[in-house]
Amino acid sequence: MPPSFPDAPPPTNSAPGEPRPVPERFIVSRGTLRWDRFMNSAIVFGGIGIIVAVFGIFAFILLEIAPLFQGARVEEKIQIPLSAPKGSLVGLDEWSELPFYFDGGHEVVFQPAKGGPAQRLPTGLPMGTQITAQRHDPLKGRMMIGTSDGRVGFIGISYQSQYQGKGAPIIQPSVKADPLLPLREDPTPAPVVDMDYADAGDKKLFAAIQEIDGQRRLSTMSLRQKKSLMGKGKTEIERRDDLTALLSGVSPKRVLVAGTADSLLVTTDAGEVLYFYRQSSEWQLRQKFQPFDGGPVSGADFLFGQVSLVCYDPTGKVRIFSLFVPEGGSMRLFGLTKEFQPIQGPITYYRASQRNKSFLVGNANECALCYATTASVRRSVKLPFEAVSVAMDAKAEHLGFLDTKGALHLYEVSDPHPEAGLRAFFGQVWYEGFAKPKYEWQSTSGTDDFEPKLSLVPLIIGSLKGTLYAMLFAVPIALLAAIYTSQFLAPQMKRIVKPAMEIMASLPSVVLGFLAALWLAPLIENKVPSILLVILSIPISASILGTLWGRLPILYRNRLPKGTEYLLIAPVMLLLAFLGWQLGPVIERAFFVATMADGSQVADFRLWWPQFTGMPYDQRNCMVVGFMMGFAVIPVVFTIAEDALSNVPPALTSASEALGASRWQVVRTVVLPIASAGIFSALMIGFGRAVGETMIVVMATGNTPVMDEAGRLIFGDLGLGNGNFPLADHWNLFNGMRTLSANIAVELPEAAQGSTHYRTLFLGALVLFAMTFVLNTLAEVLRQKLRDKFKIV
C-alpha cells in the first residue's frame, strides 16, 4: 500500500500535459490588481513629475541669469534735422524728445524729435557777451560758459511737462542765465579757454584756464553762499587764487574740478596730469603723473562720482586712473587701475553716464560704449556718418550724434546689466578707492555714485569654510558614535540613544542659530583656550582609557556587562574635560599675552590672535558656526551611518568572532568595509545639510561677506599672507563669513525684480546648485564603486 501524505494537494482530473489549476488562495482579486496598476502609474507619473520640476527650476534659473551675460544694444532710432553749426554744443532732455544746440550766441535752439518748428529761446546774457568756452553739465541741467573778458557763469536749462487731454505730454523748455562772475580782479582781458565748477554745499569752486598775452594761466575762484532763515542768499566771491606758478612752466590744456570742491586736475601740453589739492586755504601740487608714459593726452574727464579719471590719447588708448591710498602711503593719489582695448583712430569725444560707471568714447567713424568697473567694452559701433560730437541723456538710454551736416542721429541704448560679467562675478576687480584688485561683495550703498561689487568668490569661500568647519566637528563625533552605538553599546541603551539622536535632527535651524548668536558666541568669546583644551582632552582621554581598558585582564573586564563600559569611562572623560575648561585661563596667562599700545601686557586671546597672526578676531566666527552647524549635521550623519552599520549580516560578524577576532577587529575588517557605501552616503547627506544651511549661518557669523586672503590659494594668487602664517590666512577660524544660501535669504526679498542684483542672486543659487550637484555626482560614483567592491555574493 503506497504511503499517504496528509499535506499533499488533492488529486485532480486534469489530462496529462494540461496546466494544473491555481489554488483559490493564490488568486489575486481584480480590485487588488487595479490598485496595483494605479500605484505603479502613480509612481511613474510622480517620478517623471519630479524630474520635470527639477529641470523646470533649472530652466527658470537659467532664464533669470541669461540677461547678465548679454552685451549692450545700440541702434539708430531717428535722424533729427537739428541744423546745428559746426562746433555747437548739443544736449538731450531726459526723454530725448527735445534735443537742443548752443552755438555760443544768444539763443538756445530746441528741435522736437517728432518734427515741428524749432524753438529759439534767448539765453538772457547781456548784449555783446562773447563766449569763448562752454561745457554741458547734464546732471545739473546747465551749461557752463566762459567769456572773452574773463567771466564765468551758467545757463540753466529746465523742462516742464504739460498734459493736454489724453494725449502725450507736451514738453516746454526754459532757459535762464545766471549773473557772470569775473575770475580776476584786474581788468586785463583774459579770455577763458576752459573751465569747470563744483558745488559741495558749503564749498563752491570755479577753476579756469585763461589766456593772457599768449600765455595760458590757471586760476581758481572760491564762492560763498550765505544762508538765513529765509533760505539761500546771494552767492559771493570768497577768494581768488592764481596757480600758474605751480605749473612749473608747462601750459595747461584742460581743467577738472572734483565734486568735493577742494581739488582739481589739469592736463598739460607735456602729456602730464597735475593733481592739486587745497589744504588750509592753500593750494599745493600733490601729484604729477603721465597717463601714457610721456605721450600726448587728447583729453581727460571724470567718471560718474568724480573719483576716477578717464584719459585718452590720439592713438585710441583709454586708461582709467582712480584715487586710492597706496599700500604704505598716507594720502589718496591717482593710480592706473584700468586699461581698455583701443579703438581705431584718435578719440575726439567723451560722454559719461549719470547713472553708473558707463561712458562713451569715439571719433568720426567709430564709438565704444564701455563700463569702467569691469574694464569691458559693452558695445562697439561703426557709424555710417561722420560724427563731430555726441550727447547723452540723463538716463543713459539715448545717444545723440551730431554729424558734419548739422543733423542729429538719435540712437537708442539698452544695457540693463553693464556691471555683470564673468570677470565681475569670479575675477578680481580693481574697485574705486581700493589699493589693489579684490574679490568683494557689496551689492548696495547709500549713494548713487557707488559701483556695485558683485564677486561671488567671497560667498563661495564662505560656503566652503562653513561646511568644512561643520564637517570637521560633526563627522568624527557622528561616525564614532554610530560605530559605538551599533557594535558596542548595550541593546537596551541603543533603544534610547537612537531615537534621541533622530529627535535632535528635527530641531529647527532658527532655534540653533538663536542659541549660537545669543548664548554660544558670548560664552566662548573669551574662553578660546578652555575650548581648545576641552576639544583636545576628550579624544585623548577616550583613547587612553580605551587602551587601558583593553589591556586589563578578562577577569576584570567581564565584571561589567557587555556594552556598559561607558559607565566607567565617561565620568573620567567628563572630569578631564572639566579640568581642561578650568585650566584655560592658566594657559591663556602663560602663552596668549598681548602687548598694548602703552606697553602693558594683557592675557587675552582675543587681543593676542590679531597681533600674532595678523588676522582678525570676531565674536561671531567660524568656530561658532562649526559647533552649532555641526550639532545640526551630527544627527543626520549618525542616523544613516548607524543604520548602515547595523544592517551588516550577523552571520559575517559571528563568523569573524568564531575565528578569534576581537570586537574591534570585526568592526575594522568586516563591518566598516561592508557598510562603507552607506557611511559615504551619510557623509554626503550631511554635507548637503551643511552647505545648504541658512539660518544658523545668518545668525551666528555676523553675515559678513569678507574673504581676507581666503580664496587666493584656490583662485590663483598665492601671495605672502597678512601675518606670520600665510596659509592660515586662507581659512581664519576666528572671523565671520557669509554663505551663498545666507546671502540669497538676506538680500533676495529686497532686490528689485529684474535688476542686476536680483539676477546675480539667482546666479549664486545656480553656483550653489552646481557645487552640490557635482559633489553628489562624484559621491554617487564613488559609493557605487564601494558597493561593488564590498558587496556580498
Side-chain angles (χ1 to χ4, degrees), residues 597-640:
D598 58 359
S600 61
Q601 292 186 333
V602 178
D604 193 333
F605 183 88
R606 295 169 298 176
L607 301 176
W608 173 85
W609 178 261
Q611 287 187 4
F612 186 68
T613 64
M615 295 182 290
Y617 181 94
D618 302 325
Q619 182 196 59
R620 300 185 182 184
N621 50 49
C622 296
M623 184 171 66
V624 178
V625 174
F627 287 156
M628 195 53 71
M629 196 154 67
F631 186 79
V633 173
I634 285 175
V636 177
V637 177
F638 170 85
T639 301
I640 301 175

mmCIF file of all heavy atoms in Angstrom, residues 597-640:
data_model
loop_
_atom_site.group_PDB
_atom_site.id
_atom_site.type_symbol
_atom_site.label_atom_id
_atom_site.label_comp_id
_atom_site.label_asym_id
_atom_site.label_seq_id
_atom_site.Cartn_x
_atom_site.Cartn_y
_atom_site.Cartn_z
ATOM 1 N N ALA A 597 49.185 99.290 23.422
ATOM 2 C CA ALA A 597 49.870 100.460 22.873
ATOM 3 C C ALA A 597 50.743 101.150 23.897
ATOM 4 O O ALA A 597 51.789 101.721 23.562
ATOM 5 C CB ALA A 597 48.840 101.443 22.311
ATOM 6 N N ASP A 598 50.352 101.127 25.168
ATOM 7 C CA ASP A 598 51.147 101.778 26.214
ATOM 8 C C ASP A 598 52.245 100.892 26.765
ATOM 9 O O ASP A 598 52.910 101.251 27.744
ATOM 10 C CB ASP A 598 50.232 102.233 27.351
ATOM 11 C CG ASP A 598 49.432 101.071 27.955
ATOM 12 O OD1 ASP A 598 49.588 99.937 27.467
ATOM 13 O OD2 ASP A 598 48.652 101.309 28.898
ATOM 14 N N GLY A 599 52.440 99.714 26.155
ATOM 15 C CA GLY A 599 53.491 98.809 26.594
ATOM 16 C C GLY A 599 53.051 97.786 27.610
ATOM 17 O O GLY A 599 53.815 96.859 27.927
ATOM 18 N N SER A 600 51.863 97.911 28.143
ATOM 19 C CA SER A 600 51.375 96.942 29.120
ATOM 20 C C SER A 600 50.993 95.641 28.424
ATOM 21 O O SER A 600 50.720 95.612 27.220
ATOM 22 C CB SER A 600 50.173 97.508 29.870
ATOM 23 O OG SER A 600 49.115 97.789 28.963
ATOM 24 N N GLN A 601 50.980 94.574 29.198
ATOM 25 C CA GLN A 601 50.669 93.256 28.664
ATOM 26 C C GLN A 601 49.376 92.737 29.284
ATOM 27 O O GLN A 601 49.163 92.840 30.495
ATOM 28 C CB GLN A 601 51.812 92.274 28.940
ATOM 29 C CG GLN A 601 53.081 92.615 28.163
ATOM 30 C CD GLN A 601 54.156 91.569 28.322
ATOM 31 O OE1 GLN A 601 54.210 90.858 29.330
ATOM 32 N NE2 GLN A 601 55.023 91.453 27.328
ATOM 33 N N VAL A 602 48.524 92.180 28.411
ATOM 34 C CA VAL A 602 47.218 91.681 28.820
ATOM 35 C C VAL A 602 47.066 90.254 28.315
ATOM 36 O O VAL A 602 47.329 89.970 27.140
ATOM 37 C CB VAL A 602 46.076 92.561 28.262
ATOM 38 C CG1 VAL A 602 44.725 91.999 28.666
ATOM 39 C CG2 VAL A 602 46.229 93.991 28.740
ATOM 40 N N ALA A 603 46.677 89.365 29.234
ATOM 41 C CA ALA A 603 46.435 87.970 28.855
ATOM 42 C C ALA A 603 45.029 87.843 28.292
ATOM 43 O O ALA A 603 44.062 87.668 29.024
ATOM 44 C CB ALA A 603 46.636 87.057 30.060
ATOM 45 N N ASP A 604 44.920 87.959 26.986
ATOM 46 C CA ASP A 604 43.618 87.897 26.320
ATOM 47 C C ASP A 604 43.821 87.325 24.927
ATOM 48 O O ASP A 604 44.505 87.925 24.085
ATOM 49 C CB ASP A 604 42.986 89.289 26.239
ATOM 50 C CG ASP A 604 41.508 89.229 25.839
ATOM 51 O OD1 ASP A 604 41.121 88.262 25.161
ATOM 52 O OD2 ASP A 604 40.764 90.153 26.207
ATOM 53 N N PHE A 605 43.246 86.157 24.680
ATOM 54 C CA PHE A 605 43.409 85.504 23.378
ATOM 55 C C PHE A 605 42.855 86.362 22.248
ATOM 56 O O PHE A 605 43.400 86.368 21.140
ATOM 57 C CB PHE A 605 42.713 84.144 23.397
ATOM 58 C CG PHE A 605 42.887 83.355 22.130
ATOM 59 C CD1 PHE A 605 43.973 82.518 21.963
ATOM 60 C CD2 PHE A 605 41.972 83.452 21.082
ATOM 61 C CE1 PHE A 605 44.145 81.791 20.790
ATOM 62 C CE2 PHE A 605 42.130 82.733 19.916
ATOM 63 C CZ PHE A 605 43.226 81.899 19.770
ATOM 64 N N ARG A 606 41.771 87.120 22.531
ATOM 65 C CA ARG A 606 41.149 87.949 21.502
ATOM 66 C C ARG A 606 42.087 89.048 21.017
ATOM 67 O O ARG A 606 42.033 89.448 19.848
ATOM 68 C CB ARG A 606 39.862 88.569 22.041
ATOM 69 C CG ARG A 606 38.782 87.568 22.369
ATOM 70 C CD ARG A 606 37.659 88.226 23.125
ATOM 71 N NE ARG A 606 38.102 88.759 24.404
ATOM 72 C CZ ARG A 606 37.351 89.459 25.243
ATOM 73 N NH1 ARG A 606 36.094 89.716 24.910
ATOM 74 N NH2 ARG A 606 37.825 89.902 26.388
ATOM 75 N N LEU A 607 42.938 89.557 21.892
ATOM 76 C CA LEU A 607 43.912 90.576 21.513
ATOM 77 C C LEU A 607 45.198 89.950 20.981
ATOM 78 O O LEU A 607 45.862 90.522 20.114
ATOM 79 C CB LEU A 607 44.228 91.472 22.717
ATOM 80 C CG LEU A 607 43.037 92.212 23.339
ATOM 81 C CD1 LEU A 607 43.494 92.982 24.563
ATOM 82 C CD2 LEU A 607 42.403 93.144 22.329
ATOM 83 N N TRP A 608 45.548 88.788 21.504
ATOM 84 C CA TRP A 608 46.784 88.129 21.081
ATOM 85 C C TRP A 608 46.697 87.621 19.651
ATOM 86 O O TRP A 608 47.656 87.722 18.891
ATOM 87 C CB TRP A 608 47.081 86.969 22.034
ATOM 88 C CG TRP A 608 48.233 86.118 21.608
ATOM 89 C CD1 TRP A 608 49.558 86.328 21.850
ATOM 90 C CD2 TRP A 608 48.157 84.909 20.818
ATOM 91 N NE1 TRP A 608 50.307 85.331 21.280
ATOM 92 C CE2 TRP A 608 49.482 84.445 20.636
ATOM 93 C CE3 TRP A 608 47.105 84.193 20.263
ATOM 94 C CZ2 TRP A 608 49.762 83.298 19.924
ATOM 95 C CZ3 TRP A 608 47.401 83.046 19.544
ATOM 96 C CH2 TRP A 608 48.713 82.606 19.385
ATOM 97 N N TRP A 609 45.543 87.086 19.277
ATOM 98 C CA TRP A 609 45.405 86.483 17.941
ATOM 99 C C TRP A 609 45.700 87.473 16.814
ATOM 100 O O TRP A 609 46.483 87.159 15.910
ATOM 101 C CB TRP A 609 44.021 85.867 17.806
ATOM 102 C CG TRP A 609 43.735 85.260 16.462
ATOM 103 C CD1 TRP A 609 43.045 85.823 15.440
ATOM 104 C CD2 TRP A 609 44.154 83.979 15.986
ATOM 105 N NE1 TRP A 609 42.987 84.983 14.361
ATOM 106 C CE2 TRP A 609 43.667 83.836 14.665
ATOM 107 C CE3 TRP A 609 44.884 82.937 16.543
ATOM 108 C CZ2 TRP A 609 43.880 82.709 13.910
ATOM 109 C CZ3 TRP A 609 45.100 81.797 15.785
ATOM 110 C CH2 TRP A 609 44.609 81.692 14.485
ATOM 111 N N PRO A 610 45.096 88.680 16.784
ATOM 112 C CA PRO A 610 45.420 89.612 15.688
ATOM 113 C C PRO A 610 46.883 90.061 15.704
ATOM 114 O O PRO A 610 47.470 90.250 14.634
ATOM 115 C CB PRO A 610 44.479 90.797 15.935
ATOM 116 C CG PRO A 610 43.385 90.256 16.776
ATOM 117 C CD PRO A 610 44.022 89.220 17.635
ATOM 118 N N GLN A 611 47.462 90.237 16.893
ATOM 119 C CA GLN A 611 48.862 90.661 16.947
ATOM 120 C C GLN A 611 49.796 89.577 16.441
ATOM 121 O O GLN A 611 50.773 89.859 15.738
ATOM 122 C CB GLN A 611 49.238 91.030 18.392
ATOM 123 C CG GLN A 611 48.643 92.337 18.889
ATOM 124 C CD GLN A 611 49.180 92.735 20.245
ATOM 125 O OE1 GLN A 611 50.051 92.070 20.800
ATOM 126 N NE2 GLN A 611 48.650 93.824 20.795
ATOM 127 N N PHE A 612 49.521 88.331 16.782
ATOM 128 C CA PHE A 612 50.439 87.247 16.444
ATOM 129 C C PHE A 612 50.284 86.768 15.004
ATOM 130 O O PHE A 612 51.275 86.414 14.356
ATOM 131 C CB PHE A 612 50.218 86.080 17.406
ATOM 132 C CG PHE A 612 51.211 84.966 17.243
ATOM 133 C CD1 PHE A 612 52.548 85.156 17.576
ATOM 134 C CD2 PHE A 612 50.832 83.732 16.749
ATOM 135 C CE1 PHE A 612 53.474 84.137 17.423
ATOM 136 C CE2 PHE A 612 51.742 82.713 16.588
ATOM 137 C CZ PHE A 612 53.077 82.911 16.936
ATOM 138 N N THR A 613 49.065 86.750 14.499
ATOM 139 C CA THR A 613 48.820 86.198 13.161
ATOM 140 C C THR A 613 48.513 87.253 12.110
ATOM 141 O O THR A 613 48.578 86.955 10.915
ATOM 142 C CB THR A 613 47.644 85.207 13.210
ATOM 143 O OG1 THR A 613 46.446 85.911 13.571
ATOM 144 C CG2 THR A 613 47.907 84.112 14.234
ATOM 145 N N GLY A 614 48.113 88.478 12.531
ATOM 146 C CA GLY A 614 47.697 89.484 11.566
ATOM 147 C C GLY A 614 46.311 89.268 11.016
ATOM 148 O O GLY A 614 45.906 89.930 10.066
ATOM 149 N N MET A 615 45.558 88.362 11.611
ATOM 150 C CA MET A 615 44.201 88.063 11.161
ATOM 151 C C MET A 615 43.204 88.545 12.210
ATOM 152 O O MET A 615 43.505 88.559 13.401
ATOM 153 C CB MET A 615 44.032 86.562 10.917
ATOM 154 C CG MET A 615 44.898 86.027 9.787
ATOM 155 S SD MET A 615 44.641 84.261 9.485
ATOM 156 C CE MET A 615 45.375 83.538 10.941
ATOM 157 N N PRO A 616 42.010 88.935 11.799
ATOM 158 C CA PRO A 616 41.044 89.497 12.752
ATOM 159 C C PRO A 616 40.427 88.425 13.637
ATOM 160 O O PRO A 616 40.443 87.231 13.325
ATOM 161 C CB PRO A 616 39.993 90.141 11.847
ATOM 162 C CG PRO A 616 40.061 89.344 10.585
ATOM 163 C CD PRO A 616 41.500 88.968 10.410
ATOM 164 N N TYR A 617 39.848 88.900 14.738
ATOM 165 C CA TYR A 617 39.093 88.030 15.642
ATOM 166 C C TYR A 617 37.714 88.641 15.834
ATOM 167 O O TYR A 617 37.593 89.780 16.286
ATOM 168 C CB TYR A 617 39.801 87.885 16.997
ATOM 169 C CG TYR A 617 39.070 86.966 17.955
ATOM 170 C CD1 TYR A 617 39.399 85.625 18.036
ATOM 171 C CD2 TYR A 617 38.046 87.441 18.767
ATOM 172 C CE1 TYR A 617 38.727 84.769 18.896
ATOM 173 C CE2 TYR A 617 37.359 86.593 19.629
ATOM 174 C CZ TYR A 617 37.705 85.267 19.693
ATOM 175 O OH TYR A 617 37.037 84.413 20.539
ATOM 176 N N ASP A 618 36.661 87.903 15.478
ATOM 177 C CA ASP A 618 35.286 88.350 15.642
ATOM 178 C C ASP A 618 34.572 87.453 16.632
ATOM 179 O O ASP A 618 34.877 86.257 16.745
ATOM 180 C CB ASP A 618 34.540 88.328 14.295
ATOM 181 C CG ASP A 618 35.214 89.201 13.254
ATOM 182 O OD1 ASP A 618 35.756 90.247 13.639
ATOM 183 O OD2 ASP A 618 35.187 88.832 12.063
ATOM 184 N N GLN A 619 33.610 88.045 17.323
ATOM 185 C CA GLN A 619 32.846 87.241 18.288
ATOM 186 C C GLN A 619 32.056 86.154 17.580
ATOM 187 O O GLN A 619 32.056 84.997 18.002
ATOM 188 C CB GLN A 619 31.906 88.142 19.088
ATOM 189 C CG GLN A 619 31.114 87.378 20.155
ATOM 190 C CD GLN A 619 29.931 88.145 20.683
ATOM 191 O OE1 GLN A 619 29.038 88.517 19.927
ATOM 192 N NE2 GLN A 619 29.924 88.412 21.982
ATOM 193 N N ARG A 620 31.374 86.517 16.513
ATOM 194 C CA ARG A 620 30.615 85.545 15.741
ATOM 195 C C ARG A 620 31.500 85.072 14.593
ATOM 196 O O ARG A 620 31.652 85.772 13.598
ATOM 197 C CB ARG A 620 29.325 86.161 15.224
ATOM 198 C CG ARG A 620 28.415 86.647 16.334
ATOM 199 C CD ARG A 620 27.095 87.154 15.803
ATOM 200 N NE ARG A 620 26.246 87.668 16.865
ATOM 201 C CZ ARG A 620 25.016 88.099 16.694
ATOM 202 N NH1 ARG A 620 24.476 88.084 15.488
ATOM 203 N NH2 ARG A 620 24.309 88.556 17.713
ATOM 204 N N ASN A 621 32.064 83.921 14.742
ATOM 205 C CA ASN A 621 33.093 83.472 13.817
ATOM 206 C C ASN A 621 32.825 82.049 13.357
ATOM 207 O O ASN A 621 31.794 81.443 13.679
ATOM 208 C CB ASN A 621 34.466 83.581 14.480
ATOM 209 C CG ASN A 621 34.498 82.939 15.858
ATOM 210 O OD1 ASN A 621 34.054 81.809 16.025
ATOM 211 N ND2 ASN A 621 35.002 83.673 16.847
ATOM 212 N N CYS A 622 33.782 81.522 12.599
ATOM 213 C CA CYS A 622 33.620 80.190 12.012
ATOM 214 C C CYS A 622 33.593 79.097 13.074
ATOM 215 O O CYS A 622 32.981 78.043 12.852
ATOM 216 C CB CYS A 622 34.749 79.921 11.019
ATOM 217 S SG CYS A 622 34.764 81.025 9.601
ATOM 218 N N MET A 623 34.254 79.321 14.206
ATOM 219 C CA MET A 623 34.238 78.303 15.251
ATOM 220 C C MET A 623 32.824 78.141 15.822
ATOM 221 O O MET A 623 32.366 77.020 16.067
ATOM 222 C CB MET A 623 35.211 78.676 16.371
ATOM 223 C CG MET A 623 35.321 77.621 17.452
ATOM 224 S SD MET A 623 36.634 77.942 18.636
ATOM 225 C CE MET A 623 36.005 79.433 19.414
ATOM 226 N N VAL A 624 32.125 79.250 16.016
ATOM 227 C CA VAL A 624 30.742 79.180 16.496
ATOM 228 C C VAL A 624 29.880 78.438 15.479
ATOM 229 O O VAL A 624 29.045 77.588 15.838
ATOM 230 C CB VAL A 624 30.199 80.593 16.758
ATOM 231 C CG1 VAL A 624 28.745 80.533 17.199
ATOM 232 C CG2 VAL A 624 31.043 81.308 17.803
ATOM 233 N N VAL A 625 30.074 78.766 14.200
ATOM 234 C CA VAL A 625 29.305 78.094 13.143
ATOM 235 C C VAL A 625 29.636 76.610 13.104
ATOM 236 O O VAL A 625 28.755 75.759 12.952
ATOM 237 C CB VAL A 625 29.585 78.743 11.776
ATOM 238 C CG1 VAL A 625 28.923 77.969 10.659
ATOM 239 C CG2 VAL A 625 29.084 80.165 11.773
ATOM 240 N N GLY A 626 30.926 76.281 13.245
ATOM 241 C CA GLY A 626 31.314 74.875 13.219
ATOM 242 C C GLY A 626 30.646 74.077 14.321
ATOM 243 O O GLY A 626 30.154 72.960 14.095
ATOM 244 N N PHE A 627 30.606 74.657 15.529
ATOM 245 C CA PHE A 627 29.969 73.953 16.639
ATOM 246 C C PHE A 627 28.469 73.783 16.410
ATOM 247 O O PHE A 627 27.932 72.680 16.517
ATOM 248 C CB PHE A 627 30.213 74.708 17.945
ATOM 249 C CG PHE A 627 31.618 74.596 18.451
ATOM 250 C CD1 PHE A 627 32.142 75.551 19.291
ATOM 251 C CD2 PHE A 627 32.420 73.535 18.084
ATOM 252 C CE1 PHE A 627 33.439 75.461 19.758
ATOM 253 C CE2 PHE A 627 33.728 73.429 18.538
ATOM 254 C CZ PHE A 627 34.232 74.396 19.379
ATOM 255 N N MET A 628 27.788 74.888 16.111
ATOM 256 C CA MET A 628 26.335 74.810 16.061
ATOM 257 C C MET A 628 25.835 74.140 14.787
ATOM 258 O O MET A 628 24.881 73.368 14.819
ATOM 259 C CB MET A 628 25.737 76.219 16.174
ATOM 260 C CG MET A 628 24.260 76.205 16.496
ATOM 261 S SD MET A 628 23.844 75.211 17.971
ATOM 262 C CE MET A 628 24.518 76.226 19.289
ATOM 263 N N MET A 629 26.480 74.416 13.649
ATOM 264 C CA MET A 629 26.046 73.741 12.422
ATOM 265 C C MET A 629 26.463 72.274 12.471
ATOM 266 O O MET A 629 25.759 71.401 11.932
ATOM 267 C CB MET A 629 26.634 74.435 11.197
ATOM 268 C CG MET A 629 25.944 74.062 9.894
ATOM 269 S SD MET A 629 26.079 75.328 8.639
ATOM 270 C CE MET A 629 27.825 75.289 8.296
ATOM 271 N N GLY A 630 27.579 71.982 13.112
ATOM 272 C CA GLY A 630 27.945 70.586 13.324
ATOM 273 C C GLY A 630 26.934 69.866 14.190
ATOM 274 O O GLY A 630 26.622 68.683 13.972
ATOM 275 N N PHE A 631 26.377 70.576 15.171
ATOM 276 C CA PHE A 631 25.328 69.998 16.017
ATOM 277 C C PHE A 631 24.099 69.631 15.182
ATOM 278 O O PHE A 631 23.396 68.674 15.496
ATOM 279 C CB PHE A 631 24.958 71.002 17.109
ATOM 280 C CG PHE A 631 23.989 70.472 18.121
ATOM 281 C CD1 PHE A 631 24.402 69.651 19.150
ATOM 282 C CD2 PHE A 631 22.644 70.787 18.030
ATOM 283 C CE1 PHE A 631 23.500 69.155 20.088
ATOM 284 C CE2 PHE A 631 21.731 70.300 18.961
ATOM 285 C CZ PHE A 631 22.157 69.479 19.995
ATOM 286 N N ALA A 632 23.833 70.412 14.121
ATOM 287 C CA ALA A 632 22.703 70.106 13.240
ATOM 288 C C ALA A 632 23.017 68.957 12.288
ATOM 289 O O ALA A 632 22.104 68.241 11.847
ATOM 290 C CB ALA A 632 22.315 71.354 12.442
ATOM 291 N N VAL A 633 24.295 68.771 11.948
ATOM 292 C CA VAL A 633 24.681 67.733 10.989
ATOM 293 C C VAL A 633 24.854 66.383 11.676
ATOM 294 O O VAL A 633 24.604 65.332 11.068
ATOM 295 C CB VAL A 633 25.974 68.155 10.262
ATOM 296 C CG1 VAL A 633 26.514 67.035 9.388
ATOM 297 C CG2 VAL A 633 25.722 69.390 9.419
ATOM 298 N N ILE A 634 25.256 66.386 12.939
ATOM 299 C CA ILE A 634 25.548 65.133 13.642
ATOM 300 C C ILE A 634 24.379 64.145 13.598
ATOM 301 O O ILE A 634 24.581 62.962 13.273
ATOM 302 C CB ILE A 634 25.971 65.434 15.101
ATOM 303 C CG1 ILE A 634 27.397 65.986 15.119
ATOM 304 C CG2 ILE A 634 25.895 64.172 15.968
ATOM 305 C CD1 ILE A 634 27.857 66.431 16.491
ATOM 306 N N PRO A 635 23.144 64.549 13.910
ATOM 307 C CA PRO A 635 22.055 63.561 13.875
ATOM 308 C C PRO A 635 21.833 62.948 12.494
ATOM 309 O O PRO A 635 21.510 61.753 12.394
ATOM 310 C CB PRO A 635 20.828 64.376 14.317
ATOM 311 C CG PRO A 635 21.369 65.535 15.055
ATOM 312 C CD PRO A 635 22.668 65.858 14.397
ATOM 313 N N VAL A 636 22.011 63.731 11.452
ATOM 314 C CA VAL A 636 21.800 63.219 10.100
ATOM 315 C C VAL A 636 22.827 62.147 9.766
ATOM 316 O O VAL A 636 22.492 61.041 9.301
ATOM 317 C CB VAL A 636 21.858 64.380 9.081
ATOM 318 C CG1 VAL A 636 21.707 63.846 7.658
ATOM 319 C CG2 VAL A 636 20.789 65.416 9.373
ATOM 320 N N VAL A 637 24.104 62.472 9.998
ATOM 321 C CA VAL A 637 25.162 61.510 9.687
ATOM 322 C C VAL A 637 25.061 60.297 10.597
ATOM 323 O O VAL A 637 25.217 59.141 10.150
ATOM 324 C CB VAL A 637 26.540 62.192 9.821
ATOM 325 C CG1 VAL A 637 27.659 61.198 9.573
ATOM 326 C CG2 VAL A 637 26.649 63.366 8.859
ATOM 327 N N PHE A 638 24.793 60.524 11.859
ATOM 328 C CA PHE A 638 24.719 59.408 12.813
ATOM 329 C C PHE A 638 23.619 58.427 12.432
ATOM 330 O O PHE A 638 23.833 57.207 12.412
ATOM 331 C CB PHE A 638 24.471 59.963 14.214
ATOM 332 C CG PHE A 638 24.149 58.898 15.236
ATOM 333 C CD1 PHE A 638 25.164 58.217 15.879
ATOM 334 C CD2 PHE A 638 22.827 58.573 15.529
ATOM 335 C CE1 PHE A 638 24.857 57.219 16.820
ATOM 336 C CE2 PHE A 638 22.524 57.597 16.455
ATOM 337 C CZ PHE A 638 23.543 56.912 17.105
ATOM 338 N N THR A 639 22.430 58.925 12.143
ATOM 339 C CA THR A 639 21.287 58.042 11.891
ATOM 340 C C THR A 639 21.534 57.152 10.680
ATOM 341 O O THR A 639 21.321 55.925 10.734
ATOM 342 C CB THR A 639 20.024 58.885 11.678
ATOM 343 O OG1 THR A 639 19.788 59.681 12.836
ATOM 344 C CG2 THR A 639 18.825 58.002 11.425
ATOM 345 N N ILE A 640 21.996 57.745 9.578
ATOM 346 C CA ILE A 640 22.183 56.955 8.356
ATOM 347 C C ILE A 640 23.363 56.007 8.503
ATOM 348 O O ILE A 640 23.303 54.835 8.082
ATOM 349 C CB ILE A 640 22.371 57.895 7.157
ATOM 350 C CG1 ILE A 640 21.144 58.795 7.012
ATOM 351 C CG2 ILE A 640 22.617 57.105 5.884
ATOM 352 C CD1 ILE A 640 21.273 59.836 5.935
#
